[in-house]
Structure formats: structure tokens, C-alpha cells
Amino acid sequence: MIVKHKINLIIPSEVESRRVKRLKFYLPLIATVSLLIFVILFLLSIIFVNTNITKFNNLNLEVDNLEKKISSFQTTEGIYTFISMMLKNIDQIARSQKNYLPLLDQISELPSSTIKISTISVNDQGNVSFSVVASSSASLDNFITFLMEKDNNHLISNIKADGIVRQKGKYLFNISFLADKSIFQ
Amino acid sequence: MNTSNLFAKNFKKYEIILASLLVIIIVIFLSIYLLLPNFDKVQQIFLQQSKVGKKLQELKKKETILVSLDQTEYKDNFTKIKQILPPDKDYVSLFTMFDNLQSVTGITIIRTDFQLGTISTGSANKTQGPGKNIYNLPISFAILGSYRQFQNFISLLSSFSGRIVSIKSIQWDYKSEDLINASFTGYAFYSPLPSSIGAIDTPLPIIDKNGQDLMSKIANLPEVKNEIIDGSIVTGKNDLFRQ
């Protein structure tokens, strides 16, 4: 009796897990895409670098040439720069200068027929002071009234009179006031 | 089944996964060591290009201005501006200015006092003026003249008829009806020039309308020559008996 032996030649198929199946599907895809992207970006970057380095070198060359040209104008540049600085400085000084002329015009209007002004001083703050000799109390009053009118017209302010000395029928006194910006700036 | 067979079997089973992973790792590695430095280079080039581009624009602008400037005119103006605001104390120009004012207005200058301090401008203690790099030079002087001459003198002193002067105070008294004796205190100014004009790509300063007006005003002024008396004064005869 012949004994039958069964030989299974088909390799039993191994059941792959779902994860392995998914990995086998996605990983080659990711690898291919990333490789492609890498190659494209790498090539693009090389092309960009090479093109722009030439452009950059040309720009630098242009800058060098211009710098050489500008160097030949160094004297003019120096004079121009210094002039610009000095003009700014002169303008600053001119702005800080005070114009005394309108104030002097006002002072020249003072009634000088009946009073005698011996000393006048003005400073850059607009402070004006006088040493005055008046021949009579009327002329003294007249002088004060004149100043008060100027005060009312806002041309001067802060009028102050120091002690009035009566000597040999004459009135000696010192008077000071502050000139307004409209006549002293 | 021996070990090598098992390995071969597993390798064959996962070879796609392994190969893919290997490719991904290589791509990551190459990206870090090749692509990223290239990107960095690209960025650097971009930055440098825009920097050089801007520099080029500035230089072109500067060159256009410099080419358009009339060097002779600016040289003349520079000389005149230096007479108004010299780079050093320059007492000679102060004396010259007062001499000119005296001859123009008719007043008599009876005293001048310039507090020069240390003459060597560079090392001296400087008194700061009304702006950066402007220094004060205290002056005081006295004049004698009519009220009209006095007013005229102040008017010319405030204009650019010589050194720019700022009056701090005036005190005057009447010697007679039309003769006044006035004493002034104030400042003359000087402004040292910088030793360099800056880098070549430094933009040129712009002279604004105010500056232009001031320059044309100064340009129209006559040039004042500082005359220093030299040793050519006639001293007389050495021999008394010679004709």
C-alpha cells in the first residue's frame, strides 16, 4: 500500500499588518517627493547664486568706479560740506541775535526836552534802565505818564522806579522796564 | 531556520520601507549640509545686493550733485563765510571789522577788548555758543558818535558786514546833545572745521532754502581783506645829517 504524502509547495502567505501596509505605500511616496523637492530647490539655489553673484560683482564694480569718480571731487565735497555746516551755524547765531533797533527807536522817542537822561543801559533780556534828571516835578510826571502809555500799549512792562532824590530843585531817579517782544526780539 | 535566513527574509519583507527611510534620511542630511547653506547664501546675496544697490543710488545722487556744483563759486563763498564765522578765534578779522565799521559809520571806536583766552584754539577751554560746534569769544568795546551813527553801527554790526557778533548789553550816556559814548559787551563766534568730511558714501548735506538765501546774501557781500601791518613802516633816516 502506497502511503500518500502531501507536500504543500505554496508558501503560506504572511498577513501584513495594516500599519506595515500603509508604511509600504506612503514612505516610498514621501521619499520620492522629498528627493524631487530637494533636487529642484538645490538646482534653483545654485542657479540663483550663480546668476546673482555675477550681478552683485557688477554692482560692486559700478560702486568702485563711482567712488573713484567721487574721490576726484573731494575738494568740492569738502567745501560744500563745510559751507553747509557753517551756514547752519551762522543761521543759529543769527537766530540768537537780538535786534536792538526797534527798542532804540522807542528810546529816542522819550521826551528829552524837559528831562535829561544821563545813562541808559539795555541788555539781551530786554531790560532797560535809565538814570534820569528831571528839571521839575511836572516834567517827571510827564515822563512817567509817557512810559505808562507805552505800558498800556503793551510795548513795555514791569516799570520800576528807584528812590527819587530831590537835589537843588532837580529830581534824580533811576527807572527800569522790560521791553516787549514786539519791539525787542 | 537559521539567523541569516531570518534576516534575509525580514530584510526582503521591509526593504521598501528601509529604502524609503534611507532616502528620506539622506535628503534630510543633504538639506542640512547643502540646501540650507545655499539658502543662507541666497539670503546674504539678497541683503548685500539691496545694500550695494542703495549705496549705488546714494553715490549716483552724490555724484550728480557734485558734478553740478560750481567749485569756483563755492570756493569764493567759503572764503566769505569764513570771514563771518572763522574756524578759529582770528582776532585780526575782529580788528579789521571794527576798522571797517568805523570808516563806514563815522563813529570812533575808543576801546576794544577781546577776551581771547588761550590763543591755540585746539587745546583751549572753549565756551559753548548757541549751537553745536559754535564757540563764544567774549568781546567788549566802546564807541563815540552821534545817535544816528550809533544806530547805524548797531545795524551794521548785526548784519554780515564782518564777523558775526551778538550784542549782550549796551550802555550809553550823552557827552553832549548829539554825542554819545556807548559801551558794548557781547560775543564774537568761531566754529572749528571738522578734520574729515566722512566716508565716501556719506550723503551730502542738503543746504535748505534758508541756507541758500543766507549764502546768496553772503555771496553778494564784498570781500574784506584782513590787512596785517607788516614791517614796511617808514621809520625815518638812519643818518640825521643826510639829505
Side-chain angles (χ1 to χ4, degrees):
Chain A
M1 198 168 151
I2 302 165
V3 180
K4 279 185 182 176
H5 284 284
K6 280 184 184 173
I7 301 167
N8 190 2
L9 292 172
I10 301 165
I11 302 162
S13 65
E14 282 180 35
V15 182
E16 285 181 334
S17 70
R18 221 175 136 191
R19 184 182 284 175
V20 174
K21 269 186 186 172
R22 283 173 86 179
L23 280 174
K24 277 189 174 173
F25 176 75
Y26 285 116
L27 275 179
L29 203 68
I30 293 168
T32 315
V33 170
S34 59
L35 187 66
L36 269 173
I37 291 173
F38 167 78
V39 171
I40 291 167
L41 286 179
F42 187 67
L43 284 175
L44 280 176
S45 68
I46 285 177
I47 292 166
F48 183 87
V49 168
N50 284 338
T51 323
N52 281 279
I53 274 185
T54 321
K55 212 172 155 186
F56 180 66
N57 287 339
N58 288 339
L59 265 179
N60 266 334
L61 198 72
E62 211 177 329
V63 166
D64 284 347
N65 288 336
L66 259 180
E67 280 184 346
K68 271 179 202 156
K69 204 172 173 190
I70 288 170
S71 295
S72 66
F73 287 105
Q74 212 172 19
T75 317
T76 315
E77 187 189 348
I79 290 172
Y80 179 85
T81 311
F82 292 153
I83 282 183
S84 147
M85 279 172 47
M86 287 162 92
L87 284 175
K88 264 185 202 157
N89 289 345
I90 290 173
D91 188 47
Q92 263 179 318
I93 297 169
R95 279 171 200 276
S96 74
Q97 275 180 325
K98 299 287 181 187
N99 183 7
Y100 286 84
L101 292 174
L103 179 61
L104 291 182
D105 287 340
Q106 292 293 324
I107 291 171
S108 65
E109 282 177 20
L110 290 170
S112 56
S113 56
T114 50
I115 57 147
K116 194 179 170 230
I117 301 167
S118 54
T119 309
I120 307 173
S121 63
V122 294
N123 69 13
D124 57 354
Q125 304 298 311
N127 294 311
V128 183
S129 62
F130 299 93
S131 294
V132 180
V133 181
S135 52
S136 64
S137 60
S139 57
L140 169 65
D141 191 43
N142 187 28
F143 182 71
I144 302 289
T145 312
F146 181 85
L147 287 181
M148 290 305 287
E149 272 173 25
K150 296 273 179 198
D151 192 0
N152 291 336
N153 293 332
H154 304 292
L155 293 173
I156 60 172
S157 62
N158 208 17
I159 304 170
K160 282 180 192 163
D162 289 345
I164 300 171
V165 178
R166 192 175 166 188
Q167 200 176 25
K168 294 175 187 171
K170 287 181 178 174
Y171 298 86
L172 285 81
F173 62 100
N174 290 323
I175 200 154
S176 66
F177 61 79
L178 185 68
D180 188 72
K181 279 183 179 171
S182 59
I183 56 165
F184 186 74
Q185 247 185 337
Chain B
M1 200 182 286
N2 61 20
T3 326
S4 62
N5 278 348
L6 189 69
F7 178 77
K9 191 187 162 195
N10 278 334
F11 183 78
K12 207 171 182 185
K13 189 177 170 184
Y14 296 112
E15 68 183 346
I16 295 171
I17 295 172
L18 289 171
S20 302
L21 278 174
L22 188 69
V23 169
I24 291 169
I25 289 165
I26 289 171
V27 166
I28 291 171
F29 180 81
L30 289 176
S31 296
I32 291 169
Y33 289 98
L34 290 177
L35 199 58
L36 286 182
N38 258 11
F39 279 167
D40 199 39
K41 222 178 198 177
V42 168
Q43 202 188 2
Q44 288 294 324
I45 288 173
F46 253 128
L47 283 173
Q48 290 293 324
Q49 242 176 6
S50 85
K51 224 179 183 178
V52 175
K54 270 182 197 164
K55 188 177 175 180
L56 190 68
Q57 289 304 316
E58 287 294 335
L59 289 174
K60 276 182 181 168
K61 227 189 272 178
K62 191 172 181 175
E63 191 226 352
T64 315
I65 298 173
L66 284 173
V67 168
S68 70
L69 294 177
D70 181 352
Q71 198 185 338
T72 323
E73 188 193 334
Y74 272 83
K75 257 187 186 169
D76 291 347
N77 289 345
F78 185 54
T79 313
K80 285 178 179 174
I81 290 170
K82 273 203 300 185
Q83 283 170 356
I84 292 166
L85 186 65
D88 50 39
K89 292 175 178 174
D90 189 16
Y91 58 93
V92 178
S93 66
L94 275 171
F95 284 119
T96 312
M97 178 187 75
F98 281 111
D99 287 347
N100 287 336
L101 284 173
Q102 192 167 239
S103 64
V104 172
T105 58
I107 51 111
T108 309
I109 295 172
I110 47 178
R111 180 182 58 84
T112 48
D113 178 5
F114 309 141
Q115 292 166 37
L116 295 172
T118 313
I119 302 291
S120 55
T121 310
S123 59
N125 286 331
K126 296 165 182 169
T127 324
Q128 189 70 48
K132 199 181 153 194
N133 203 34
I134 306 171
Y135 299 100
N136 288 339
L137 185 64
I139 57 170
S140 72
F141 49 94
I143 63 162
L144 199 66
S146 71
Y147 195 75
R148 181 62 49 206
Q149 287 172 333
F150 167 62
Q151 277 181 314
N152 198 14
F153 177 80
I154 292 172
S155 165
L156 283 172
L157 201 62
S158 310
S159 68
F160 300 118
S161 52
R163 289 281 289 267
I164 189 164
V165 168
S166 183
I167 302 167
K168 198 165 181 282
S169 70
I170 313 170
Q171 185 175 345
W172 70 97
D173 51 65
Y174 291 86
K175 289 274 171 202
S176 65
E177 202 167 302
D178 197 31
L179 187 66
I180 61 166
N181 181 9
S183 301
F184 294 76
T185 64
Y187 299 107
F189 302 92
Y190 65 98
S191 174
L193 294 174
S195 52
S196 68
I197 52 171
I200 200 148
D201 57 340
T202 311
L204 280 176
I206 293 164
I207 300 177
D208 58 11
K209 182 152 188 322
N210 218 6
Q212 293 283 359
D213 291 346
L214 195 60
M215 189 158 71
S216 55
K217 196 174 168 185
I218 293 167
N220 292 326
L221 294 170
E223 197 172 325
V224 182
K225 286 202 164 56
N226 289 345
E227 287 168 1
I228 303 170
I229 298 166
D230 57 16
S232 60
I233 300 168
V234 181
T235 51
K237 290 183 275 187
N238 290 328
D239 185 354
L240 282 173
F241 303 103
R242 270 185 69 184
Q243 287 282 314

